[in-house]
Amino acid sequence: MNLDWQPLWLTFKLAGITTFLLLLLGLPLAWWLAHTRSRVKPIVEAIISLPIVLPPSVMGFYLLLAFSPTGFPGSFFSDVLNVPLVFSFTGLVVGSVIYSLPFMVQPLQAGLESLPNSLTEASYTLGRSKTETLFRVLLPNIRPALLTGTVLSFAHTIGEFGLVLMIGGNIPGETRVVSIAIYHEVESLNYGSAHVYSLVLLVLSFLILLTVYLVNKRLVKTL
Amino acid sequence: MIQIRVRKSLLMASGKTELAVDFNLEAGSFCTLYGKSGAGKTTILKILAGLIQPDEGFISVNDEVWLDTGKNINLPPQKREIGFVFQDYALFPNMTVRENLQYALNGKTDKNRIDDLLERAALQQLAHRKPLTLSGGQQQRVALMRALVRKPQILLLDEPLSALDLEMRQTLQTEIYGLHQSFHTTTLLVSHQLSEIYRLSDFIISLENGKIMAQGTPAGVFGRERLSSKIQLIGEVLSIRENGVVYILDILVGNNIIKTVTTAEEVQGLQPGDQVKVSAKAFNPIVQKL
């Protein structure tokens, strides 16, 4: 059996980039949600959580329309940046960020909301800015939430199938991630390769979750 | 001298009230804000600290204007020289005791100050511990010392001793007073503990529903209604029993149950759970040292 390792590598690259972008995007968003008294908060929360309940095919269908060179922001990406969003790795990253957003934002928001307001206030009265307060007081005290958010986003991106299929298709080296490769191998009756890919994903997913639970237990203790 | 004049409409559990206060504090004085919960005490502290914005107001501290809504002056909390001790202490759980104090250091402050403060509060042995491993009294000490690192012009204490037992409270009262004396800060305390107020404060502001009801020395403010040959207690009716022509009432005052005989007329309309005022005239008690 000649196994193509590229889908595995592509999957972890996608999950890694997506998780990194989600940290950058999710942190300010979670901070805003935890502190705002704005009336639009429930609307924003509902939109962020949509990927949890919507079938990936629905998300994928709308994203496909939006990403296409005639839609927005697809036209912007293909015309101005010269990077097409459909059937491309970039498109997968953008799609995955949207798809995994709730898995990053929700733990972070819950973590920030669980901290008493007086911690922030105390930091301000001790002369520290909002940014310093975030990085030196708030984030270190929500380490379990940070870890949960990061790992869940990573794992969720690895587990994507429907969305990737809709907006990425099955282009080797570009959009053929492991979940797609498994489907492809089964369709071609290559059960051997499908077994290997599936087993790798199964073992990895289990190990990731096990680590989260073990480490979180320890983090909570040392805090 | 510290001048405070603020107005803010508040949404309290009891409905809408307007906080409107205007008072001056002498520099170096120890002042207590006294009143029921919901009277606006904590809000005043937070407005002073810049953590809550009033609808309009003016605050000046030793000739420096911190807030003037008319002129659009509003210093952020970071720029106001205050030390704030929160009711829940607000110590940072991720930092050790020493790190909590160091967090307040800025370029100007002398590094030895941390050691001085730790020594002063007898906390050197605990300097490497995380706050959550300390007792309530120790946490309170850390919070106090942390608030003093920046040499604040005003020290704001929001019911700092309410979570402690009586003995610890008395020890810390003495400590707070000592610190106030030696650092010459103006101190503003929120408290509803009369004994605490008498021990510590030079000046009292009594608040009710966001308005100042009385201000002056403790004896001056409480003297009128509380210091006389009469005794007046507020309590809760626990039970009402009929006994022949009279009624026997059990009333809970603080931690003591008082039994008293009343007439049928007095009992009318009373039921267990009611708040009542118990007063006695021509009161001649025996006072003994314990």
Side-chain angles (χ1 to χ4, degrees), chain B residues 4-290:
Chain B
I4 300 152
R5 191 176 68 237
V6 290
R7 202 183 57 72
K8 180 177 176 65
S9 48
L10 300 174
L11 209 57
M12 294 285 191
S14 55
K16 259 196 177 165
T17 42
E18 195 183 58
L19 177 78
V21 293
D22 182 351
F23 59 90
N24 297 337
L25 299 178
E26 254 174 74
S29 64
F30 198 119
C31 172
T32 301
L33 289 175
Y34 166 82
K36 285 190 202 139
S37 58
K41 297 165 297 191
T42 301
T43 311
I44 292 177
L45 286 200
K46 291 199 170 170
I47 287 175
L48 250 170
L51 296 168
I52 291 181
Q53 301 312 318
D55 299 336
E56 63 177 88
F58 176 85
I59 298 171
S60 93
V61 175
N62 302 333
D63 296 326
E64 195 189 342
V65 178
W66 284 5
L67 175 84
D68 188 342
T69 45
K71 288 186 188 154
N72 254 336
I73 299 173
N74 183 7
L75 291 188
Q78 289 90 344
K79 294 262 156 63
R80 302 187 183 195
E81 292 168 59
I82 40 161
F84 204 122
V85 176
F86 293 81
Q87 209 170 349
D88 63 356
Y89 315 142
L91 297 173
F92 306 130
N94 58 315
M95 301 180 199
T96 62
V97 168
R98 179 180 289 277
E99 286 165 345
N100 261 281
L101 266 64
Q102 278 169 341
Y103 187 77
L105 278 180
N106 54 24
K108 281 177 283 173
T109 359
D110 180 10
K111 292 235 162 54
N112 293 328
R113 185 163 175 82
I114 302 288
D115 288 311
D116 292 346
L117 287 171
L118 286 173
E119 196 184 320
R120 163 109 214 199
L123 286 167
Q124 304 106 307
Q125 303 294 320
L126 304 172
H128 61 280
R129 295 257 296 264
K130 294 274 174 76
L132 291 184
T133 64
L134 304 180
S135 72
Q138 290 165 338
Q139 291 188 32
Q140 183 54 62
R141 277 206 190 95
V142 179
L144 254 171
M145 293 305 148
R146 189 181 65 178
L148 288 168
V149 171
R150 299 207 316 154
K151 302 189 181 168
Q153 304 225 36
I154 314 182
L155 184 59
L156 303 169
L157 309 170
D158 188 4
E159 303 201 32
L161 308 177
S162 59
L164 304 172
D165 60 43
L166 189 65
E167 205 177 318
M168 183 49 79
R169 199 182 294 158
Q170 287 173 345
T171 316
L172 277 169
Q173 281 167 5
T174 316
E175 237 169 80
I176 289 177
Y177 196 72
L179 289 168
H180 166 77
Q181 293 281 331
S182 51
F183 290 108
H184 308 292
T185 51
T186 312
T187 306
L188 190 54
L189 169 80
V190 164
S191 175
H192 49 239
Q193 273 271 316
L194 279 182
S195 67
E196 194 167 294
I197 296 171
Y198 264 91
R199 268 187 93 178
L200 296 173
S201 24
D202 314 318
F203 195 75
I204 295 186
I205 295 169
S206 167
L207 285 170
E208 207 169 297
N209 282 324
K211 308 283 183 309
I212 294 177
M213 300 313 285
Q215 50 181 314
T217 59
V221 170
F222 294 129
R224 259 169 286 152
E225 48 186 58
R226 283 171 202 271
L227 293 183
S228 65
S229 59
K230 289 191 291 185
I231 182 170
Q232 201 174 74
L233 304 166
I234 306 292
E236 182 189 331
V237 178
L238 292 178
S239 70
I240 303 168
R241 268 174 296 138
E242 200 178 340
N243 192 341
V245 288
V246 294
Y247 288 81
I248 296 176
L249 247 62
D250 286 349
I251 300 168
L252 179 72
V253 177
N255 285 325
N256 300 310
I257 296 172
I258 297 176
K259 262 193 204 321
T260 177
V261 177
T262 52
T263 62
E265 278 165 27
E266 282 176 305
V267 163
Q268 243 175 27
L270 272 186
Q271 31 176 292
D274 282 350
Q275 292 280 325
V276 289
K277 190 163 79 181
V278 183
S279 44
K281 287 175 197 158
F283 177 57
N284 188 17
I286 299 149
V287 179
Q288 286 173 312
K289 188 177 166 42
L290 287 175

Side-chain angles (χ1 to χ4, degrees), chain A residues 4 6-8 10-12 14 56-57 60 87-89 92 96 99 156-190 193-195 197-198 201:
Chain A
D4 180 10
Q6 200 173 37
L8 276 168
L10 195 68
T11 303
F12 291 117
L14 176 67
S57 50
F87 308 118
S88 75
F89 184 74
L92 282 196
S96 304
Y99 187 53
H156 190 241
T157 309
I158 291 180
E160 268 176 65
F161 176 71
L163 183 91
V164 180
L165 193 65
M166 293 287 281
I167 63 173
N170 181 14
I171 305 167
E174 183 75 20
T175 63
R176 187 189 284 173
V177 293
V178 180
S179 57
I180 303 284
I182 294 172
Y183 182 70
H184 177 75
E185 299 297 348
V186 173
E187 289 277 274
S188 328
L189 298 177
N190 291 330
S193 307
H195 263 307
Y197 286 142
S198 301
L201 276 199

Side-chain angles (χ1 to χ4, degrees), chain A residues 128-149:
Chain A
R128 297 299 177 179
S129 68
K130 278 186 180 182
T131 324
E132 277 175 296
T133 304
L134 179 66
F135 284 103
R136 292 183 61 187
V137 175
L138 301 183
L139 290 186
N141 287 312
I142 59 159
R143 274 177 305 182
L146 267 173
L147 182 76
T148 308

